[in-house]
Amino acid sequence: MKKLIMLGTGNAMVTHCYNTCFMIRTDKADFLTDAGGGNQILAKLEEIGGDYNRLHYMFVTHGHTDHILGVIWVLRKIADLMNKGRYDGEFHLYCHDVVRDMLMAFTKMTLKKKDFAQIGSRIIFHEIKDGESVSFDGMTLTAFDIMSTKAKQFGYELRFEDGLRLTCLGDEPYNEHDRRYAEGADWLLSEAFCLYGDRERFQPYKKNHSTVKEASELAETLGVKNLVLYHTEDSDIAHRKERYTKEASGFYNGKIYVPDDMEEITLD
């Protein structure tokens, strides 16, 4: 059993859903990517079971507020559980050097002394470089630089023991530097800031984001089997799935997912 659980699906300024972050859940463990912009992440994790002893690995893509601030709450929670004797083993967080430095500064300034004492002891920040691979809990992750023109950002390719490939492109448009990780993927996770018809209203290109049309054309060109669209605007959440899916189907022939917050998708 492998599931993608979308804890949040929105862009930085949403108010009708949570910022984009997600969990990969297998029979063995949970693996978290980003944590949104606040302590609502703790409620999200509680809603899907809240067993922190299944959660020993995390990846943080970049240091924007809507991705990294929730990480502080996750670290505080895990440090507290460690100090109370309710968390077994270590917690490993993978990120590039900029995020590592930010997290060290944030945790030093904001965590209680006894919680911060777990940083570097049982909570370990691992700097990962472009093209570097790590393996854990039956998965192999290869990080890649998305070549952002804003803040340094990494995506990753995740390979499971059965050969299934999932690629997370981060929250900016695809760069050819990363073709080897995305082409032919079984699952492609891609930002889609808004519908193409709404581009004048939401100005995605000025923010270095894509529309549903471009994300779907990319998925078709790369020959991926399943496309997950996230990091969207939230002006019409009630009809987002229907409207985004309709536009995507005009450019991509694979299976399309436009998840709501807390939606679970079986990976096969």
Side-chain angles (χ1 to χ4, degrees), residues 73-87:
W73 289 97
V74 174
L75 297 177
R76 176 176 175 174
K77 177 69 174 181
I78 289 175
D80 181 63
L81 292 172
M82 287 176 171
N83 288 326
K84 292 177 178 175
R86 292 164 51 195
Y87 186 91

Side-chain angles (χ1 to χ4, degrees), residues 244-260:
Y244 278 47
T245 301
K246 181 179 180 181
E247 177 163 298
S249 65
F251 305 97
Y252 171 66
N253 292 309
K255 196 159 185 181
I256 301 160
Y257 297 83
V258 183
D260 295 318

Side-chain angles (χ1 to χ4, degrees), residues 5-10 14-23 25 30 32-52 55 70 73-74 240 260-264:
I5 307 175
M6 293 302 306
L7 303 174
T9 56
V14 293
T15 56
H16 301 293
C17 59
Y18 191 53
N19 310 125
T20 294
C21 53
F22 57 89
M23 183 82 79
R25 173 163 285 176
D30 291 339
L32 181 62
T33 297
D34 292 343
N39 80 334
Q40 191 178 344
I41 185 62
L42 301 182
K44 299 286 186 181
L45 294 175
E46 183 176 309
E47 189 172 337
I48 63 169
D51 184 359
Y52 285 89
L55 178 59
W73 289 97
V74 174
R240 178 181 62 176
D260 295 318
D261 285 14
M262 305 308 295
E263 186 169 335
E264 297 187 6

Side-chain angles (χ1 to χ4, degrees), residues 69-203:
L69 293 185
V71 179
I72 309 305
W73 289 97
V74 174
L75 297 177
R76 176 176 175 174
K77 177 69 174 181
I78 289 175
D80 181 63
L81 292 172
M82 287 176 171
N83 288 326
K84 292 177 178 175
R86 292 164 51 195
Y87 186 91
D88 300 325
E90 299 174 336
F91 181 77
H92 298 269
L93 186 150
Y94 295 94
C95 58
H96 55 67
D97 56 341
V98 176
V99 165
R100 178 205 59 203
D101 292 346
M102 292 176 70
L103 288 174
M104 284 299 299
F106 289 162
T107 53
K108 186 175 183 178
M109 289 188 293
T110 61
L111 294 188
K112 291 184 256 185
K113 187 176 293 187
K114 65 179 180 179
D115 290 340
F116 181 71
Q118 296 292 355
I119 306 297
S121 176
R122 293 174 62 195
I123 296 176
I124 304 165
F125 299 159
H126 300 271
E127 179 189 346
I128 193 165
K129 299 180 185 297
D130 183 28
E132 185 176 353
S133 298
V134 293
S135 296
F136 50 83
D137 290 332
M139 296 172 270
T140 297
L141 180 150
T142 303
F144 55 82
D145 193 332
I146 73 165
M147 301 297 173
S148 172
T149 58
K150 298 191 295 186
K152 185 174 183 179
Q153 182 173 172
F154 278 11
Y156 62 76
E157 176 197 61
L158 196 64
R159 288 180 180 261
F160 297 88
E161 290 176 311
D162 61 4
L164 191 81
R165 292 172 58 219
L166 177 148
T167 299
C168 165
L169 291 178
D171 74 357
E172 293 189 24
Y174 165 81
N175 188 292
E176 273 296 307
H177 171 268
D178 305 316
R179 176 174 287 272
R180 78 184 89 166
Y181 306 112
E183 190 167 31
D186 296 293
W187 292 84
L188 185 70
L189 279 56
S190 175
E191 58 92 17
F193 199 78
C194 66
L195 296 168
Y196 184 72
D198 289 336
R199 65 193 184 282
E200 294 300 322
R201 176 183 177 189
F202 292 108
Q203 300 291 309

